[in-house]
């Protein structure tokens, strides 16, 4: 793979909110430290994401020491939310998987509800080691995940983004391109690979950390949401449907599950082990 390396790292403390891009991140068994440990749920316990609420793209969550978050969004004063004390949990439905979450303080529910104009609650995952297993069809025994869509980490490559943007440029919605990588909300972006190389990874190392790659990532309507305006378009799903459809899924990026602990850093070498 030549001189592939980490181009950027992204942590999203609250699912569906804008996150942060640190120079390094600790890798825990269930994902990057602090990534997607919080999520919004509706009155039925179902997670609320940019699928239903594109305006969440404009809300930001900054991690705080101890696991709390500082929320900000247009039109609202920022709010600091502390990790809730272990208490009665509430059932949280993450795309059909039932997970127990701990509600944040009432002020956090009110802040998020005011922003969206809909009744929502903010919940925290206290113990990712036990709360939610990885999809059993693709998991090894004991693997768990945070409130992420399905797997601990998502990796994407600049080579594949460039190839995708070239295809968009040839299509009927060329005016929407080129798309930035934030449309895909990855945890790790890799430079220096051939287009679509990640499709074939089964095991890689990033710096000192080893990961297995269970399956490429199937993409949804969130990728059509401009992360700076919350406006939706047709791309990249239109082009992915024409060029990257496999078993009914539109593929971009690769899911990762850590096999060892450690810290990853911008500039770390990325090596294919299998």
């Amino acid at each position: 793979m030549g001189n592939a390396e980490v181009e950027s790292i992204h942590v999203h403390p609250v699912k569906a909110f804008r996150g942060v891009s640190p120079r390094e991140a600790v890798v825990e068994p269930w994902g990057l430290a602090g990534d997607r440990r919080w999520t919004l749920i509706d009155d039925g316990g179902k997670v609320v994401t940019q699928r239903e609420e594109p305006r969440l793209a404009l809300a930001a969550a900054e991690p705080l020491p101890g696991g709390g978050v500082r929320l900000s969004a247009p039109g609202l004063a920022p709010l600091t939310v502390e990790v809730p004390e272990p208490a009665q949990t509430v059932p949280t439905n993450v795309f059909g998987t039932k997970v127990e979450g701990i509600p944040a303080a009432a002020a956090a529910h009110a802040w998020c509800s005011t922003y969206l104009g809909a009744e929502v609650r903010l919940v925290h995952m206290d113990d990712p080691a036990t709360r939610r297993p990885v999809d059993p069809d693709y998991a090894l025994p004991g693997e768990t995940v945070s409130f992420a869509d399905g797997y601990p980490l998502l990796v994407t490559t600049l080579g594949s983004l460039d190839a995708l943007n070239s295809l968009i440029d040839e299509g009927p919605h060329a005016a929407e391109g080129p798309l930035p990588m934030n449309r895909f909300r990855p945890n790790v972006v890799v430079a220096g690979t051939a287009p679509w190389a990640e499709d074939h990874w089964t095991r890689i190392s990033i710096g000192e950390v080893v990961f297995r790659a269970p399956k490429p990532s199937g993409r949804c309507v969130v990728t059509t949401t401009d992360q700076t305006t919350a406006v939706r378009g047709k791309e990249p799903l239109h082009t992915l449907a024409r060029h990257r459809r496999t078993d009914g899924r539109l593929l971009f990026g690769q899911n990762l599950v850590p096999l060892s602990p450690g810290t990853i850093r911008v500039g770390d070498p990325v090596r294919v082990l299998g």
Side-chain angles (χ1 to χ4, degrees):
M1 191 167 58
N3 298 316
E5 65 177 32
V6 175
E7 194 267 343
S8 60
I9 297 170
H10 306 277
V11 176
H12 303 89
V14 180
K15 185 178 182 66
F17 283 49
R18 189 165 70 245
V20 295
S21 301
R23 298 290 297 175
E24 62 180 50
V26 172
V27 179
E28 298 173 335
W30 40 83
L32 299 183
D35 187 63
R36 296 172 171 97
R37 290 286 295 274
W38 301 81
T39 190
L40 295 179
I41 59 173
D42 63 18
D43 54 8
K46 184 174 179 290
V47 296
V48 177
T49 73
Q50 290 185 33
R51 292 165 177 83
E52 303 83 24
E53 296 284 358
R55 289 183 68 232
L56 287 174
L58 308 183
E62 178 186 349
L64 299 175
V69 287
R70 182 178 185 268
L71 306 180
S72 58
L76 292 177
L79 180 71
T80 295
V81 183
E82 303 293 346
V83 171
E85 293 293 329
Q88 184 174 1
T89 61
V90 295
T92 303
N93 181 340
V94 187
F95 310 128
T97 302
K98 295 294 170 53
V99 189
E100 295 299 317
I102 298 180
H109 307 328
W111 190 96
C112 296
S113 298
T114 297
Y115 177 61
L116 292 180
E119 205 63 36
V120 293
R121 289 176 289 171
L122 181 66
V123 298
H124 180 255
M125 184 180 287
D126 60 331
D127 184 13
T130 62
R131 291 294 186 195
R132 184 183 173 213
V134 172
D135 183 342
D137 289 343
Y138 297 94
L140 298 180
E143 289 180 342
T144 61
V145 62
S146 66
F147 286 128
D149 277 5
Y151 297 87
L153 284 89
L154 172 68
V155 62
T156 58
T157 68
L158 294 179
S160 295
L161 181 65
D162 288 346
L164 176 62
N165 278 324
S166 292
L167 293 171
I168 291 173
D169 190 50
E170 297 166 0
H173 307 294
E176 292 188 26
L179 300 183
M181 191 65 88
N182 63 12
R183 290 290 188 96
F184 301 95
R185 298 180 60 82
N187 292 114
V188 179
V189 179
V190 174
T193 72
W196 318 120
E198 65 276 15
D199 288 354
H200 310 291
W201 296 348
T202 59
R203 200 160 165 266
I204 67 169
S205 64
I206 300 175
E208 64 190 18
V209 185
V210 177
F211 301 85
R212 70 180 192 90
K215 62 190 282 286
S217 178
R219 309 316 305 223
C220 71
V221 70
V222 170
T223 60
T224 68
T225 307
D226 186 318
Q227 297 293 299
T228 61
T229 65
V231 174
R232 283 205 170 132
K234 300 290 187 183
E235 296 293 1
L237 293 187
H238 181 272
T239 296
L240 291 176
R242 291 169 56 217
H243 298 279
R244 299 279 300 164
R245 184 191 295 272
T246 300
D247 297 330
R249 296 183 304 127
L250 311 183
L251 304 182
F252 188 91
Q254 177 68 254
N255 293 297
L256 297 180
V257 181
L259 295 178
S260 65
T263 299
I264 61 173
R265 299 173 176 87
V266 171
D268 272 353
V270 179
R271 298 184 177 91
V272 176
L273 306 178

